[in-house]
Amino acid sequence: MNNSHWLTDYDPSNEEFWNKKGKKIAWKTLTITTAALTFSFATWFLYSVVVIKLPHIGFKFTDDQLFWMAAMPGLAGGLLRIVNTFLIPIYGTRKIISISSLIKIIPLLMLGFAVMNPQTSFTYFMIIGFLLGIGGGDFSSFMPSTSLFFPKKSAGTALGIQAGVGNFGVSLVQLLSPLIMSLTIFSFLGGGQIIAETGKTIYLENIAFIYVIPLLIIGIWAWFSLKSIPVKASFKEQLDIFKDRHTLYCTMTYIMTFGIFAGFSAAFPLMIKNLYLPLDKNLAPLQYAFYGPLIGSASRIIFGKVADKIGGALLTHITGISLIILLTRLILGGYLTPTSPDQFQGFLLIVLAIFFFTGVGNAATFKQFPTIFAKSPRKAAGVIGFTSAIAAFGPFVFNVLITQSRAISGDARLFFWFLVFGCVMATGVNWYFYTRKGCERPC
């Protein structure tokens, strides 16, 4: 082990050390890892844009196949987050951030060349989708790393900034992709696809190739600039988080917040396409889809500081009640079974409000977890990693269960009632253990 890459005397809880040395190191680390996480999210959610365009450029995939393709990065992201949960104490921040940034270049190159060939198979696209999930897995090592660099009093702000800015990667993809697709920057590779309906040429490969260079730069930057905190623990030792029942309770509240954020981020464009495009042919799903992740990311950043001041449990409780009301309104208001294009405005406003409150809840829960597990920063970091791993299945769950709900009942309402039930359970747990007077672990 090269000792120059490890911070052997790092103690953010020591006020003198923090003000003299620790703060500078922590914020430098946060800057690099947040930049890396932004492009991780961008990579993870590329398929939310790609699957919308494939049918228009000659690919003969069914709606169910498109939902499965959109779901695959979510499945991989969840699985890989479970793995990432345990990596920081074994390999350290420097190696994990650097290698994870560089390795994502592989599926991006695969995707760029795949969309240039209309004979590319569904199976190959599914493999690419799984590999794009590497970007989703990163979160469960990046965030625990950040929690080790900051004192508890600043943890909510730091984690809120990292997760919030990182989540902007979703909006980055959905906002910039329509513009990037119109440019000829990689035309020397022989790409370009004609949209059957309009005869217009787009360059879908651009939205994959464009991220290769920044990932290469960040990977090199991280390798030469980051250091690691030696919180050493074997994989077996880290399993002790499962002996505490609060790991389960934290997982429930984080599924309610980030799980719904990630699920809606992945499914929102397809929901607009399937529900409202048949009623209004002029709707452009990507024109609206990016607003949701943008709002959720912004509220996560803003309310990280609020959570540091008033505690996370109350904000999580408010989030849960708000989501229950909004999801119920989405179902009972007929917005999942529209009969008029006039309903789109109401649908859009409700979904954007859902994104806002998931951002609030995301900030709140990451303030809660270090407090709930205050006796062991290593356990707190592990719980952050594990809960985010389970919640990362949101894109997979949304896309697959929406498809199944449609197959069983003809529309998505069954799945959304399932979401309401989950929010009721998570809000009840949060109130009983963390919010009410005399609760077990107030936070």
Side-chain angles (χ1 to χ4, degrees):
M1 181 174 73
N2 188 337
N3 289 329
S4 66
H5 296 142
W6 292 83
L7 299 166
T8 54
D9 60 346
Y10 195 85
D11 182 11
S13 63
N14 183 314
E15 191 77 22
E16 182 180 355
F17 170 83
W18 175 250
N19 291 325
K20 183 177 180 181
K21 187 177 179 181
K23 184 185 294 186
K24 182 178 179 181
I25 295 172
W27 281 99
K28 177 184 177 182
T29 303
L30 182 66
T31 299
I32 298 173
T33 56
T34 299
L37 187 61
T38 301
F39 287 100
S40 293
F41 270 93
T43 303
W44 191 25
F45 280 88
L46 269 181
Y47 260 17
S48 67
V49 174
V50 172
V51 296
I52 293 289
K53 295 296 182 182
L54 291 180
H56 301 291
I57 59 173
F59 289 91
K60 307 298 182 183
F61 298 135
T62 66
D63 284 345
D64 282 353
Q65 285 178 316
L66 293 175
F67 267 111
W68 272 103
M69 286 170 59
M72 185 50 61
L75 173 63
L79 293 173
L80 293 173
R81 280 193 181 193
I82 294 174
V83 175
N84 271 267
T85 296
F86 304 99
L87 295 184
I88 289 295
I90 298 174
Y91 298 107
T93 298
R94 174 177 169 267
K95 286 183 179 179
I96 295 303
I97 305 301
S98 303
I99 294 173
S100 67
S101 296
L102 296 173
I103 202 171
K104 288 190 287 291
I105 292 173
I106 296 172
L108 289 173
L109 293 174
M110 292 172 65
L111 176 59
F113 287 109
V115 298
M116 293 164 63
N117 179 11
Q119 302 305 313
T120 303
S121 68
F122 172 69
T123 300
Y124 190 67
F125 272 114
M126 290 289 279
I127 292 171
I128 294 172
F130 187 89
L131 293 176
L132 290 174
I134 293 171
D138 291 341
F139 192 88
S140 284
S141 53
F142 285 39
M143 296 294 282
S145 167
T146 297
S147 74
L148 296 173
F149 278 88
F150 284 82
K152 286 195 293 292
K153 67 178 183 179
S154 304
T157 299
L159 292 171
I161 290 172
Q162 179 162 63
V165 175
N167 287 353
F168 275 127
V170 184
S171 293
L172 185 70
V173 165
Q174 297 175 344
L175 173 62
L176 295 184
S177 291
L179 172 62
I180 295 172
M181 284 187 287
S182 67
L183 305 178
T184 58
I185 46 180
F186 299 107
S187 59
F188 64 91
L189 295 173
Q193 305 86 33
I194 299 176
I195 299 178
E197 297 91 331
T198 64
K200 178 182 177 182
T201 299
I202 63 170
Y203 299 86
L204 191 57
E205 66 273 10
N206 288 0
I207 65 174
F209 292 149
I210 198 71
Y211 297 110
V212 170
I213 294 175
L215 281 169
L216 180 62
I217 292 172
I218 289 172
I220 296 172
W221 184 22
W223 183 261
F224 288 103
S225 300
L226 290 179
K227 297 186 183 298
S228 305
I229 297 176
V231 183
K232 307 297 286 184
S234 68
F235 172 78
K236 183 177 180 180
E237 288 171 331
Q238 293 181 71
L239 294 179
D240 62 357
I241 63 172
F242 300 112
K243 295 178 181 179
D244 193 322
R245 59 180 178 168
H246 289 277
T247 298
L248 171 62
Y249 304 150
C250 290
T251 303
M252 292 175 66
T253 57
Y254 201 60
I255 288 173
M256 178 178 71
T257 55
F258 182 76
I260 292 179
F261 170 86
F264 259 116
S265 295
F268 194 23
L270 278 176
M271 289 179 68
I272 296 174
K273 172 182 176 290
N274 291 335
L275 293 175
Y276 288 93
L277 196 58
L279 300 173
D280 183 355
K281 300 298 183 183
N282 295 319
L283 273 180
L286 294 180
Q287 180 181 343
Y288 298 97
F290 82 92
Y291 284 113
L294 183 67
I295 290 171
S297 301
S299 64
R300 187 167 190 165
I301 295 172
I302 294 168
F303 282 88
K305 187 173 287 292
V306 175
D308 273 339
K309 292 183 177 180
I310 69 171
L314 178 60
L315 286 180
T316 301
H317 195 64
I318 293 171
T319 293
I321 293 171
S322 301
L323 291 177
I324 292 167
I325 294 170
L326 289 166
L327 290 168
T328 303
R329 178 62 179 157
L330 197 64
I331 300 166
L332 298 181
Y335 298 107
L336 299 174
T337 52
T339 56
S340 167
D342 295 337
Q343 292 173 270
F344 178 70
Q345 184 177 11
F347 168 79
L348 181 64
L349 290 175
I350 292 172
V351 173
L352 294 183
I354 289 172
F355 272 110
F356 172 81
F357 281 106
T358 59
V360 174
N362 286 335
T365 50
F366 272 157
K367 172 60 180 177
Q368 285 182 264
F369 298 167
T371 304
I372 293 170
F373 293 89
K375 293 182 179 180
S376 173
R378 195 261 304 160
K379 284 186 179 181
V383 170
I384 288 173
F386 177 75
T387 57
S388 64
I390 301 304
F393 285 106
F396 176 75
V397 170
F398 262 66
N399 283 292
V400 170
L401 293 191
I402 285 175
T403 300
Q404 293 302 309
S405 180
R406 289 169 57 199
I408 294 170
S409 63
D411 57 62
R413 286 177 295 179
L414 182 63
F415 167 66
F416 280 87
W417 278 124
F418 168 75
L419 285 185
V420 171
F421 176 75
C423 289
V424 170
M425 292 289 291
T427 303
V429 164
N430 180 73
W431 173 80
Y432 187 80
F433 290 103
Y434 311 124
T435 310
R436 68 185 176 90
K437 185 177 180 179
C439 63
E440 186 172 328
R441 297 190 186 181
C443 51

